[in-house]
Amino acid sequence: MVSRKQKFKTVVLVLIFALLIVGGVFGISYYKGGVTFPWQVATTEPEAKESSEEPAEEELKVTVVEADKKDKPEAVKKTKPEAEDKTAEKPVKKEAAKEEEADEESVEEEAETDTADETEEATKATDVAVTGNTLEYYGPLHVEDGKLVDESGNPAVLTGVSSHGLSWYPEYVTKDSIAALRKNWGINVIRLAMYTSDYNGYCVGGDEIQSVLKDNIDKAVEAATENDMYVILDWHILNDGDPNEYKSQAIQFFGEMVRKYEDNDNVIYEICNEPNGDITWSDISKYAKEIIPVIRNVKEDALILVGTPSWSSDLDAVLENPLDYDNIMYTYHFYASSHKSSARNAFTEALDAGLPVFISEYGYVSANGDGEVDTKEASKWNEIIEEYQLSSCIWNLSNKAEGSALINADCDKTFDFTYEDLSAQGQYFFDLLKGEETKANDN
Ligand code: IDC
């Protein structure tokens, strides 16, 4: 009989044996890494998360590379599919390499031509526009038989620009600007338009404005003198249609100017820009007879320009009753897009009658200072200027957003302009200056 004790021993031995077998199998498995304990599960999960983020980064990198490729030249990209053709790997690779080489060369060539074109364009865009034509400086001027002449009686023709309002655009009449106009455009006259009443005008802006304006004039006169140019001091009445309105200020101003510039033969005095409204030639004469002596008392041969009725466009009354002074010229203003054949007919009649006329302001655009260049009318006016050898100043030297401004509104430069910096009227004027080589010099 098997005792209870023996039974118990046998059970324990079997259990131990079983435990050894299970433990052995488990141990081998664990060694091989096939077992994961519950506590290990908790720590491995985040690792799995982390590694799942990595491919995302890879994807991103790929996108970036693709994006880079897109920017590469077409020719370089083309070689890629051919190089991938495994059926004829070697020859294709060679071909591809050759093509790539050729393509690269052509890309280089293209790039070279592109750069050359770009450089040419860039140079053109940055080239200062130069007429290559310097108009003559004649020394002291006077008027003989209705014509402007030099000391020997030879005709003198002044061709240049008018500033915009001196208070508005003083930056275009600095020393640098005037020197550059003389050097690059070759013009021989600049008109300083000093408004009397409009926009911080001399008679409405107070003492401070007056001294700034006089300072600007001083610098401009000095620059004009240094550069052998004539300079017109323009008492620019406009809204104040009657020159008599600010007569006492005019007397004071011209008295001061002529004393300052007594020795400057290049300074010309324009005593009223454009009388207008119901102002007659007799009103203007009255004014002129007070201002002219103020100037002549100091400089007896000063050249003086006198405005005429209707915005300086009516010479009829003047013809009937001219002023009794030497060295006087009457101003005539035209705007080609507004003033056409009837204006020209009246104008040439006055010229034929021997009236001394100076075109101290004109435009090829419309009389409101805006609009397009009327080339058809402009050339007819230019024929007259040429035929009668007239002196003239084009309106206006500024970059104001209006057709008459000579400089484009988006150009910040105030001198050394490129051709592209010039407005349509600026380019038209510049082209004329270029072709007018004989106009002033041949006479
Ligand atoms: C214009 C200017 C314009 C300004 C206006 C008012 O071009 O920018 O706003 O004056 O001051 C003239 C005048 C001249 C005018 C010009 C164009 O003499 O001052 O300039 N013009 O309207 N007479 C006929 C035309």
Side-chain angles (χ1 to χ4, degrees):
M1 274 299 284
V2 184
S3 68
R4 264 188 165 200
K5 208 176 171 183
Q6 259 184 323
K7 266 187 193 168
F8 178 71
K9 272 184 182 172
T10 311
V11 169
V12 170
L13 271 173
V14 168
L15 277 173
I16 289 170
F17 194 61
L19 263 172
L20 277 173
I21 291 171
V22 171
V25 171
F26 191 85
I28 290 164
S29 298
Y30 178 71
Y31 180 70
K32 285 186 173 173
V35 178
T36 307
F37 295 105
W39 59 88
Q40 282 181 318
V41 173
T43 52
T44 48
E45 260 179 2
E47 271 173 31
K49 250 193 185 170
E50 260 173 40
S51 61
S52 79
E53 269 167 14
E54 275 193 24
E57 234 178 68
E58 281 293 324
E59 272 165 31
L60 196 73
K61 274 178 201 158
V62 171
T63 327
V64 171
V65 171
E66 285 299 327
D68 275 350
K69 268 188 203 159
K70 269 189 194 156
D71 292 332
K72 285 187 182 156
E74 207 49 48
V76 177
K77 273 202 246 168
K78 251 196 260 165
T79 59
K80 214 185 166 195
E82 285 165 18
E84 273 170 2
D85 187 353
K86 280 177 186 163
T87 49
E89 211 178 357
K90 276 189 179 170
V92 170
K93 261 193 182 167
K94 260 194 181 172
E95 283 294 322
K98 264 191 200 168
E99 244 179 60
E100 204 167 321
E101 238 171 63
D103 282 345
E104 265 169 23
E105 267 170 31
S106 75
V107 168
E108 266 168 37
E109 262 170 41
E110 259 174 48
E112 261 172 40
T113 2
D114 279 359
T115 330
D117 285 351
E118 275 165 23
T119 322
E120 201 180 299
E121 234 165 64
T123 326
K124 217 178 133 197
T126 54
D127 264 356
V128 175
V130 173
T131 61
N133 177 22
T134 305
L135 301 180
E136 199 174 331
Y137 178 74
Y138 305 91
L141 301 170
H142 61 278
V143 180
E144 231 175 67
D145 300 329
K147 302 267 182 214
L148 191 61
V149 294
D150 67 12
E151 277 187 311
S152 324
N154 298 315
V157 180
L158 313 192
T159 304
V161 298
S162 174
S163 73
H164 196 287
L166 270 194
S167 282
W168 257 329
Y169 292 95
E171 63 270 33
Y172 292 92
V173 290
T174 61
K175 286 191 144 217
D176 286 339
S177 303
I178 290 174
L181 284 173
R182 182 65 169 144
K183 185 165 155 248
N184 304 331
W185 295 10
I187 56 172
N188 57 5
V189 61
I190 183 158
R191 176 188 193 228
L192 307 177
M194 187 185 72
Y195 280 93
T196 46
S197 145
D198 296 52
Y199 189 83
N200 282 331
Y202 187 85
C203 303
V204 297
D207 288 352
E208 209 177 304
I209 296 284
Q210 286 195 359
S211 77
V212 170
L213 284 167
K214 282 190 276 198
D215 204 40
N216 288 339
I217 290 174
D218 209 33
K219 289 194 180 106
V221 169
E222 203 178 302
T225 309
E226 275 170 13
N227 290 283
D228 280 342
M229 274 173 95
Y230 296 94
V231 54
I232 300 173
L233 309 189
D234 162 35
W235 186 256
H236 202 86
I237 65 163
L238 191 63
N239 281 343
D240 43 338
D242 183 355
N244 294 292
E245 188 174 335
Y246 295 114
K247 190 179 68 190
S248 58
Q249 286 93 330
I251 289 170
Q252 190 272 331
F253 173 78
F254 283 111
E256 194 178 327
M257 292 301 111
V258 74
R259 275 189 293 278
K260 205 188 274 184
Y261 305 123
E262 188 185 346
D263 297 328
N264 291 61
D265 290 324
N266 58 331
V267 175
I268 299 167
Y269 302 86
E270 182 173 1
I271 63 174
C272 54
N273 169 48
E274 290 185 350
N276 60 79
D278 53 8
I279 300 308
T280 62
W281 174 237
S282 120
D283 298 321
I284 302 166
S285 302
K286 208 173 123 236
Y287 167 80
K289 284 172 188 163
E290 290 196 57
I291 308 296
I292 293 168
V294 171
I295 299 168
R296 288 284 160 78
N297 284 346
V298 180
K299 191 172 171 68
E300 62 178 9
D301 57 350
L303 179 63
I304 297 175
L305 310 182
V306 185
T308 55
S310 293
W311 291 276
S312 290
S313 70
D314 180 3
L315 301 174
D316 291 350
V318 185
L319 264 178
E320 282 166 26
N321 213 352
L323 292 166
D324 193 16
Y325 296 99
D326 289 338
N327 296 336
I328 296 291
M329 295 188 98
Y330 304 96
T331 65
Y332 183 82
H333 295 174
F334 72 84
Y335 281 80
S337 188
S338 305
H339 308 127
K340 304 188 177 177
S341 60
S342 61
R344 278 193 296 274
N345 292 340
F347 182 50
T348 47
E349 259 176 45
L351 293 172
D352 289 336
L355 199 71
V357 177
F358 194 115
I359 303 174
S360 60
E361 185 186 303
Y362 72 94
Y364 295 122
V365 296
S366 130
N368 66 4
D370 209 359
E372 298 193 345
V373 172
D374 189 331
T375 51
K376 194 172 135 242
E377 295 297 322
S379 68
K380 290 180 183 165
W381 282 106
N382 289 336
E383 275 170 27
I384 297 176
I385 291 175
E386 183 69 30
E387 186 188 339
Y388 290 86
Q389 294 290 284
L390 300 174
S391 293
S392 58
C393 291
I394 193 167
W395 181 263
N396 69 80
L397 186 63
S398 82
N399 71 342
K400 190 170 176 182
E402 60 179 8
S404 60
L406 296 169
I407 314 302
N408 278 328
D410 63 3
C411 171
D412 295 332
K413 277 177 260 169
T414 54
F415 59 92
D416 280 351
F417 308 108
T418 66
Y419 192 69
E420 284 72 22
D421 289 335
L422 308 180
S423 68
Q425 187 181 252
Q427 294 188 345
Y428 188 89
F429 176 65
F430 183 87
D431 291 345
L432 279 175
L433 288 173
K434 242 181 153 172
E436 277 181 351
E437 200 153 3
T438 53
K439 186 176 170 185
N441 295 338
D442 277 2
N443 293 288

